[in-house]
Each structure stands twice: as C-alpha cells, then as structure tokens.
Amino acid sequence: MQLTVWTYEGPPHVGAMRVATAMRDLHYVLHAPQGDTYADLLFTMIERRSKRPPVTYTTFQARDLGGDTAALFQTACHEAYERFKPKAMIVGASCTGELIQDDPAGLAKASGLPIPVIPLELPSYQKKENWGAAETFYQIVRHLAGPHALPPNAARPVRAAGEKPRCNLLGPTALGFRHRDDVRAISGLLERMGIAINVTAPWEASPADIARLGNADFNVVLYPEIAGPAAQWLKRSFGQPIVSTVPIGVGATRDFITEVARLAEIDPAPFLKAEESRLPWYSRSVDSTYLTGKRVFIFGDATHAIAAARVAREELGFEVVGLGTYSREFARDVREAAARHGIEALITDDYLEVEAKVAELQPELVLGTQMERHIAKRLGVPCAVISAPVHVQDFPARYSPQMGFEGADVLFDTWVHPLMMGLEEHLLGMFRDDFEFHDGAAPSHLGHASRAPAAPPAVEPAIEVAAPAMAAAGTAEIAVVEGPSGWAPEAEQELRKIPFFVRGKARRNTESFAGQRGIRLITVETLYDAKAHFGR
C-alpha cells in the first residue's frame, strides 16, 4: 500500500458499493470500523444521487475489538434485512475490517436469512476498485443466474420465428463516467435496430433480473473492466456470444452495429446509412483543419483510453504522443494499442509518473481523468476528461453520453473546444494592454466620456484551462528550461509572442536546433533560424 495525495481507484469494497448502489432490491452489509463509512460521500456529493447507497456498516469501534465483533456483524445483517427487506444481500469487509478476520461470509451464511446471501472476498491490499466491482458483479451473476444455467454440452434454445433478438447490456454502475447516458444512447441504438434489451445490469437491475440474464441471445459488454468476468461466465454457462466492440467514436460505433447485426442475424446496411453524427463533417471543416496533427496525451481506464486514442487519430487527425492506463489488469490491451501508434504505453497508478510524462512530452491537449485535469492546469495545457475518476462537474444534469453517434458529437465538442479557446485566450492576452482592453483605458468612442471604462467580458472555456492559459499568454514570465542552452532576454521576449498552445513545441524545437549546433545562448536569430529549419 502506498500513501498518496490522489488515487485513481479506491479499495475494492468501493467497487462493490458501486454495483450495489446501481441495483434495486439488493443490500450490502459491510464489516467496517467507524471512519470507513466515507464512501457514501462519493455518491451523494460527487454523483449527486438523491438517496444514499444501500449499505449498512457495522461501524465497530476500538472498544469493540475486545468483545465479539462477529456477533456485531450478524446483528447488523438481521437489522438490515428487517429494515430494508431486500431480495438479496451481499456481505464483505472493508480494508480495516479485513484485518480482524471475522469471516463475514461464514457469519452471514450462519445467520439464517430467508434471502440469497452472497459473500464477497475482496483482498483490499492486493486489488482495487474496478477489480472489486467486477468481482462483485461476477459473484452476483453466478449466484443468482447459476441455478438456471444450461446442462453441460446443451445447445441454446432456438429463437422462435418472428421473435426479436434479445441482448443484455452489461457493465454500467453507479459512480461510472457517463454510464447513465451511455445506457440511454446504446439502448436507443439497439431498439432502432429492432433488438430487444433483456436486462441492463448492474444498472437498475433487481436480483430477479439477474436471474433471467440467460434468456438473452448475446451480451453487449459496455465496460470490460466491470462486466468482463461475468460475461465470460455467461458465455460458458448459457452459450451467449459477447459483443466486444465498445462503441465510442463514429468508427467504433459502426463496427459495433456490424458486430451486433451479425449476432442478431440482421442486415446492418440500413442502420449504417442512418448515421447521425456531426463529427465527421466538423472534423473536415475549415475551422477544424488547423487542429490536424495536434499532439495529444491520453490516460485513463483501459476502455476509454484505447477508444480515445482511436478517435483522436482516425477521426480528428491528432497525433497520439502518449497513451497509458491505471488499469493494470488490462495492461496488455493498452500496450497493444500503444504499439499501433508507434509509442510505448505508460502503465502506472502513480499520478506523479503521469505528470512527469506529460511535462516531458509537452502535448498540446491532454485527455485524461480528474487527476490529469489538475496536472494539465498546472502545466498550462488544455485538457478534457474522458475517464473516471471524475469530479462533480462530470456528472452533468444534461444528457451527455460518450457512446454511439450522439456520444461522438459530445467527444468532438469536449475535445476540440479547449483547443479553439486556446486561440481566443492567446488573442485576449496579446491585446490585453491595448486601449479598451484594460481598466485604465480611455473611454470607448462608442460610449460617453463620463462613463467608467468597462472590463472586457470574461471568457469561460468548457475545460479548466483559463487561468494558466491567460498567465502563459500574457504577463507571466516564461521559465527557462534547464539544459545545455540558455535563453537571451530578447529571445525570451520573442518566444512570449508565440501562442501558448504551441509555445512548448517552439521552445523544444529551438533548443534541439541549438543543441545540435553547439549554440550555448539562444538569441532571436537562433529562434528564427530554428523556425526556418523545422518549417521546411
């Protein structure tokens, strides 16, 4: 275990809580000391849910350790059942609760409750949140759908003539990044294709819904980090194929439609022709052409990072200079994706390593988590959030999916607008000392002489880059990068005139040019010589 200021994932019992909170008629009894109940805040304050998670804590204290904490746990189970009347219950221990080794699974089994009680073994000091969510969902599916599994070597029943093909949507949970809106987007897409949705789980599913997962013809795995193990078990137990394409971006959504149509035995052509995304046209428009070749760094969970890299390169014309994940269970997939971009993947859960990599690569756009938002803000780089962990602003009241054709439009707006705003920030900084652009300016010729000059209207970019951007573009001093070459004051002044969102590249190219020629002091002439050299 590592002490840190920020962490990409919580302990595994938080993952279990995400699954329990997403479901209906399910309760989670967590053996935890007083002080380990903070996880409620994640849902009520960050996700802004209207009710607290369906979790009962034993909240034992130090003085209880000399007594019978096992009895305390059993009492909590009985009280939770009497109060909430769930149809099923999951039980486990928090990080601290795990240390006292009370065996919640055995205690719950001996409690004699008249509902299914599903034990969770979540090693808090070896695994993390997404693994905990995946293991919890897998155990719930196995315990509740298992009694309905097909006999060994038995074939799936043939769908009746005229009956719609059916699928399950697997993976969306509480506290998931845009999971609510992704479910709506993909449900609508599948329904337009004439495919019925049997169960969506864990999102809004009940234990009874989990029990009938086997009735579907195939499974759509929206988030492999959460639903991968459960989908593999359903494939083995019910013979259900898995749709493995995650529909993030126009190209992936078209691939998704083709894969779903093959399993549903329908023609995909009409649905591919009905494409509704504006992203392809916008990315070819005049306003977007100057974004071609922008250097982008991507970091997040494996699903969103891999998808973002494809969209960035194939659909927006960006150059992917960095790709990484904190999802170590999917390190191989991310490494393969990075190799397709000719780069080496960054696999880490240490945000300081990520910050160092961003500083080294000096990208023009960062796509990442809430952590990368802060990193990019400090470095003065535009940023868009593409993956959990996220903060309250990434649980918008509006409909804002990441998946499907509607999600592709959201991606375009979210990623491109920070770069567009970068140019406006630079222009504001460039003219901030001009008349009419500062508080001490003379009155405008359009106003009256007696009227006090008005401050320029504030510009609020969609992504948090305004403060560092304005500082970099305006009055802030440019830090001299340590290295073999120094910068003359007049060269620094000239560099300051370059827009901040390409200034890092200009500095890097100039220092490389000077280093190759043994120039110790970079002058204005060196800056222009480097520009001419790299502009050829």
Side-chain angles (χ1 to χ4, degrees):
M1 178 171 286
Q2 179 182 6
L3 294 177
T4 183
V5 177
W6 289 340
T7 179
Y8 287 99
E9 295 182 86
H13 74 265
V14 173
M17 198 176 299
R18 288 175 54 190
V19 173
T21 304
M23 293 182 62
R24 297 179 290 111
D25 298 328
L26 180 80
H27 202 79
Y28 184 18
V29 176
L30 185 63
H31 200 27
Q34 191 173 28
D36 261 7
T37 59
Y38 65 91
D40 282 10
L41 300 177
L42 297 174
F43 301 92
T44 56
M45 293 183 66
I46 295 181
E47 194 176 14
R48 297 189 285 202
R49 296 183 76 88
S50 58
K51 55 185 179 181
R52 66 175 296 272
V55 182
T56 293
Y57 301 90
T58 57
T59 56
F60 59 83
Q61 302 178 51
R63 63 174 176 265
D64 296 318
L65 296 178
D68 191 355
T69 54
L72 187 67
F73 178 81
Q74 288 186 312
T75 300
C77 289
H78 282 282
E79 289 178 350
Y81 174 74
E82 292 299 328
R83 179 181 179 185
F84 299 105
K85 293 294 190 292
K87 299 297 188 296
M89 183 180 290
I90 55 177
V91 298
S94 71
C95 309
T96 314
E98 182 182 339
L99 296 176
I100 63 176
Q101 299 181 333
D102 269 342
D103 186 23
L107 294 172
K109 185 177 181 180
S111 61
L113 294 176
I115 56 173
V117 178
I118 303 166
L120 301 176
E121 298 290 341
L122 305 177
S124 299
Y125 300 96
Q126 288 82 39
K127 300 293 184 179
K128 294 193 174 182
E129 180 181 327
N130 280 343
W131 184 91
E135 176 67 12
T136 299
F137 186 48
Y138 166 74
Q139 291 296 342
I140 291 172
V141 169
R142 185 170 181 177
H143 278 78
L144 299 179
H148 309 284
L150 297 174
N153 302 320
R156 281 190 56 77
V158 178
R159 188 169 65 245
E163 184 181 0
K164 282 186 176 182
R166 290 173 295 179
C167 73
N168 297 316
L169 291 185
L170 304 181
T173 70
L175 207 67
F177 180 60
R178 308 291 170 84
H179 286 196
R180 173 199 64 192
D181 296 341
D182 286 346
V183 167
R184 175 178 163 186
I186 300 306
S187 296
L189 175 60
L190 292 170
E191 288 167 2
R192 291 192 295 273
M193 294 178 67
I195 298 170
I197 297 175
N198 179 51
V199 172
T200 299
W203 188 263
E204 292 297 321
S206 67
D209 292 331
I210 300 296
R212 59 186 184 88
L213 282 172
N215 296 339
D217 298 307
F218 57 92
N219 290 313
V220 173
V221 176
L222 297 180
Y223 310 102
E225 286 91 345
I226 308 298
Q232 291 295 335
W233 182 86
L234 289 167
K235 182 178 181 180
R236 295 191 301 268
S237 302
F238 293 93
Q240 295 170 324
I242 299 172
V243 176
S244 56
T245 301
V246 178
I248 297 179
V250 173
T253 301
R254 294 178 65 86
D255 293 345
F256 174 83
I257 290 173
T258 302
E259 188 174 358
V260 167
R262 177 177 57 81
L263 294 177
E265 299 177 337
I266 59 176
D267 181 12
F271 313 106
L272 294 173
K273 289 180 181 178
E275 176 183 315
E276 299 174 352
S277 175
R278 296 182 178 92
L279 185 151
W281 160 244
Y282 282 174
S283 63
R284 294 192 300 268
S285 66
V286 173
D287 286 343
S288 296
T289 53
Y290 89 95
L291 301 176
T292 301
K294 290 293 184 183
R295 304 170 73 255
V296 60
F297 176 89
I298 301 170
F299 192 88
D301 67 43
T303 295
H304 287 91
I306 293 173
R310 175 178 176 178
V311 174
R313 183 177 70 176
E314 298 181 6
E315 299 177 26
L316 294 175
F318 295 161
E319 178 189 356
V320 179
V321 297
L323 176 61
T325 185
Y326 57 82
S327 303
R328 294 186 180 275
E329 294 86 357
F330 291 82
R332 177 179 297 178
D333 301 293
V334 176
R335 287 193 176 100
E336 290 175 356
R340 292 194 291 271
H341 295 272
I343 56 179
E344 183 178 351
L346 176 64
I347 311 298
T348 182
D349 56 4
D350 185 345
Y351 67 91
L352 294 176
E353 289 186 35
V354 179
E355 181 169 11
K357 196 66 175 178
V358 174
E360 173 193 338
L361 294 173
Q362 297 185 14
E364 293 155 288
L365 176 66
V366 172
L367 303 176
T369 72
Q370 174 70 9
M371 256 82 95
E372 283 66 49
R373 187 205 301 273
H374 291 295
I375 289 169
K377 190 171 184 177
R378 284 200 301 276
L379 297 175
V381 181
C383 178
V385 173
I386 63 163
S387 163
V390 295
H391 202 23
V392 63
Q393 66 264 46
D394 292 304
F395 289 97
R398 69 187 184 277
Y399 174 57
S400 185
Q402 299 288 286
M403 294 186 176
F405 294 129
E406 296 161 303
D409 293 343
V410 173
L411 294 182
F412 179 89
D413 289 342
T414 307
W415 299 6
V416 169
H417 287 177
L419 293 169
M420 296 289 195
M421 291 303 300
L423 179 59
E424 186 170 346
E425 297 285 350
H426 172 65
L427 293 175
L428 288 173
M430 181 183 296
F431 293 107
R432 66 167 47 192
D433 292 324
D434 200 46
F435 84 101
E436 297 185 3
F437 274 86
H438 62 88
D439 293 339
S444 169
H445 67 284
L446 298 177
H448 299 289
S450 59
R451 184 182 303 166
V459 177
E460 296 185 2
I463 304 301
E464 295 180 42
V465 299
M470 293 294 286
T475 60
E477 292 296 325
I478 298 178
V480 178
V481 176
E482 294 293 335
S485 299
W487 285 75
E490 64 274 12
E492 290 184 14
Q493 185 68 27
E494 193 69 17
L495 182 67
R496 191 178 296 122
K497 298 177 182 178
I498 299 174
F500 78 92
F501 47 86
V502 292
R503 192 178 299 154
K505 184 176 182 179
R507 177 185 288 278
R508 184 174 60 253
N509 286 348
T510 303
E511 291 179 347
S512 174
F513 177 85
Q516 292 171 5
R517 286 156 180 78
I519 299 173
R520 303 299 301 172
L521 181 66
I522 296 176
T523 64
V524 173
E525 289 73 18
T526 311
L527 182 62
Y528 280 101
D529 287 345
K531 178 182 177 182
H533 173 77
F534 288 102
R536 288 182 302 196

